[in-house]
Amino acid sequence: MTQKEEQKTKNLFNFEKPLMELYKKIEELRKVSESSQMDLSEEIKMLEKRIETLRRDIFSKISIMQVVQVARHISRPTTLDYIGLICSDFVELHGDRNFGDDKAMVGGIAQFEGRSVVVVGQQKGKSTKENIERNFGMAHPEGYRKALRLMRIAERFNKPIISFIDTPGAYPGIGAEERGQAEAVAKNLREMANLTVPFISIITGEGGSGGALGIGMGNKVLMLEYSIYSVISPEGCASILFRDSSRAQQAAEAMKISAKDLLALGVIDEIIKEPVGGAHNDPEKAANFIKHAIIKNLDGLLKLSPRELIADRYNKYRKMGIFAEVAELADAHDSKS
C-alpha cells in the first residue's frame, strides 16, 4: 500500500468501511505483482476507479451528522495549510498588543495571485499535542483582538481580507470570560461592519457560534461543501432542547447547518466544492477550489468603493431572516378581534 493510500485508509469513517476491502485487494495485487513480476497495473487501476465511484456514491447519500464528522476530521486541512497552498510570502504576525499571543488564532500578510492581502483564521492541530497547543481552534479574547488588529492593518494599507473559519466556538473558560470574551467578539462585529476593504470569509470546517462570527462578517461568506455553520453544536442543542445528546441528528436537521441549507436560506453566498471524500483526501485540490472561488468573488468586490463595500455588507446582513414589527402584529390582532 502506498503512503498516500495508507493515509487514506487511516482517514476512513465508519460509513466508508466498504472501501477498506478494496484498498486491501489493491495491496494484495501489488504484493503479487512485486513477487511474481506480473503486470497487474490494469487490475489495480480498475479497483482504484471502483474506489472513486463507491466513495462518490457514499458521499452523495451521507446524513447531516456524517457531514459533521467530515467537518471535524482530524486530518482536515487547517488555516495554515490553506494559506501555504494558495498564498506566498506569508509573514505571520503575533499578539494583540494587550495580553498575549493566542495560538488558536493565526494571521498575517501574504501574497495572493500577485496582490497583497491580510489572512486570518482559527488554527486547529493535527494531533492531540498540537490541538492542546492550539486549544482545539477555540480562541481566547486576545485571539479576537489579534484578528481585529490585523483587520485594521488591512484597512490602513488598503489590503483585502480573507478569513478562514474552523472552530467549535470561542473558548468559554473562566479566564477568557474574565478578559472579556463577549466584548471582544462583539467589538469585532461592530468593527467588521465598517471595514472599507473587500472582505471574504470562508468556512472550512466547523463554523461554531460567536467564535465563527468573530472573524466571519465578510462581504462574501463562502462555505466548503462538507463544512457546517451553526449557533451551537448539534450535540449541545440536543442536550439543551431534548435533554439527550444522542438526538443530535434530529437537532442538526432542525438547525439547517449544512452548506446546502444555508445557501437556500441566504446565510452564505456560495458553496465551494470539495474533492470526493472531503478536503482531507486531497488538500491540494481543495485549496485550488478555494483559490478560484476567492479570485471570482474578489474581482467583483475590488470594483466597489469603500462606501459601497460598507453598504454591501450592511444590506447583506440586514436581509437575513424573517421578522415582523411588533406594531404590525398588534394591528393584525386588533383587526381579527
Side-chain angles (χ1 to χ4, degrees):
M1 193 177 290
T2 65
Q3 187 176 1
K4 192 172 183 180
E5 285 173 352
E6 189 176 351
Q7 185 61 39
K8 284 187 175 182
T9 57
K10 287 180 180 178
N11 289 338
L12 290 178
F13 298 101
N14 286 332
F15 60 86
E16 290 184 287
K17 288 304 179 186
L19 299 174
M20 181 61 78
E21 290 302 316
L22 294 175
Y23 277 117
K24 286 180 179 178
K25 286 180 181 178
I26 289 176
E27 185 180 12
E28 289 170 4
L29 287 176
R30 285 211 173 98
K31 287 179 179 178
V32 170
S33 180
E34 290 170 5
S35 61
S36 63
Q37 295 186 341
M38 292 174 60
D39 185 7
L40 299 173
S41 58
E42 287 301 316
E43 288 80 358
I44 291 172
K45 283 181 182 178
M46 287 177 64
L47 283 174
E48 287 173 340
K49 286 181 181 178
R50 173 61 181 151
I51 287 173
E52 189 80 1
T53 302
L54 183 55
R55 178 174 274 126
R56 195 181 300 277
D57 183 58
I58 290 171
F59 272 78
S60 69
K61 302 170 184 174
I62 61 174
S63 69
I64 184 59
M65 282 308 294
Q66 288 169 339
V67 171
V68 172
Q69 289 180 54
V70 179
R72 293 172 176 170
H73 198 286
I74 189 69
S75 297
R76 196 165 175 85
T78 65
T79 292
L80 288 177
D81 289 333
Y82 285 126
I83 291 173
L85 288 166
I86 69 174
C87 296
S88 60
D89 301 323
F90 174 58
V91 178
E92 186 174 354
L93 302 178
H94 298 272
D96 68 339
R97 301 298 186 267
N98 185 30
F99 180 81
D101 183 40
D102 189 347
K103 292 187 178 181
M105 186 77 73
V106 297
I109 301 170
Q111 289 289 315
F112 176 77
E113 294 295 294
R115 178 181 296 276
S116 182
V117 298
V118 165
V119 289
V120 63
Q122 287 100 358
Q123 177 67 23
K124 290 183 178 178
K126 295 289 183 69
S127 65
T128 302
K129 182 180 178 182
E130 285 182 11
N131 266 320
I132 291 171
E133 182 183 4
R134 299 287 183 178
N135 202 35
F136 295 84
M138 295 185 289
H140 293 76
E142 49 271 23
Y144 289 98
R145 291 174 182 136
K146 173 166 67 172
L148 181 57
R149 183 171 76 87
L150 295 174
M151 292 175 191
R152 285 173 171 163
I153 289 172
E155 190 166 42
R156 188 179 310 139
F157 296 102
N158 195 30
K159 299 178 187 292
I161 302 167
I162 302 169
S163 69
F164 296 93
I165 298 165
D166 186 14
T167 180
Y171 185 60
I174 293 175
E177 297 296 341
E178 288 174 342
R179 296 193 298 278
Q181 184 71 287
E183 183 272 343
V185 172
K187 187 173 183 179
N188 277 23
L189 291 173
R190 185 188 70 190
E191 297 298 318
M192 285 187 290
N194 291 302
L195 288 170
T196 57
V197 293
F199 185 6
I200 296 175
S201 301
I202 306 163
I203 300 154
T204 61
E206 288 184 277
S209 193
L213 289 175
I215 59 167
M217 204 171 175
N219 293 90
K220 297 291 182 182
V221 179
L222 318 179
M223 199 168 168
L224 282 179
E225 186 178 3
Y226 300 119
S227 58
I228 56 172
Y229 191 24
S230 64
V231 69
I232 192 173
S233 70
E235 297 89 347
C237 178
S239 294
I240 293 170
L241 292 184
F242 309 130
R243 300 290 191 267
D244 182 2
S245 61
S246 66
R247 293 173 67 180
Q249 172 80 27
Q250 183 182 351
E253 290 171 356
M255 288 195 295
K256 307 293 183 186
I257 64 177
S258 72
K260 185 178 178 181
D261 286 328
L262 292 165
L263 182 64
L265 292 169
V267 175
I268 64 168
D269 300 290
E270 183 180 332
I271 298 172
I272 303 174
K273 183 177 175 166
E274 291 191 38
V276 178
H280 60 279
N281 272 306
D282 196 338
E284 291 81 8
K285 194 171 184 179
N288 196 44
F289 289 149
I290 289 175
K291 182 175 78 172
H292 286 297
I294 294 172
I295 291 169
K296 181 178 70 173
N297 285 278
L298 190 57
D299 284 346
L301 293 176
L302 287 168
K303 296 173 184 176
L304 302 180
S305 68
R307 186 181 293 271
E308 286 172 330
L309 285 166
I310 294 173
D312 172 73
R313 207 175 294 120
Y314 176 83
N315 292 328
K316 171 184 173 60
Y317 291 96
R318 280 290 293 171
K319 70 182 182 183
M320 285 184 190
I322 300 170
F323 62 92
E325 297 289 346
V326 174
E328 292 176 3
L329 292 173
D331 291 342
H333 180 267
D334 291 341
S335 63
K336 284 181 181 180
S337 58

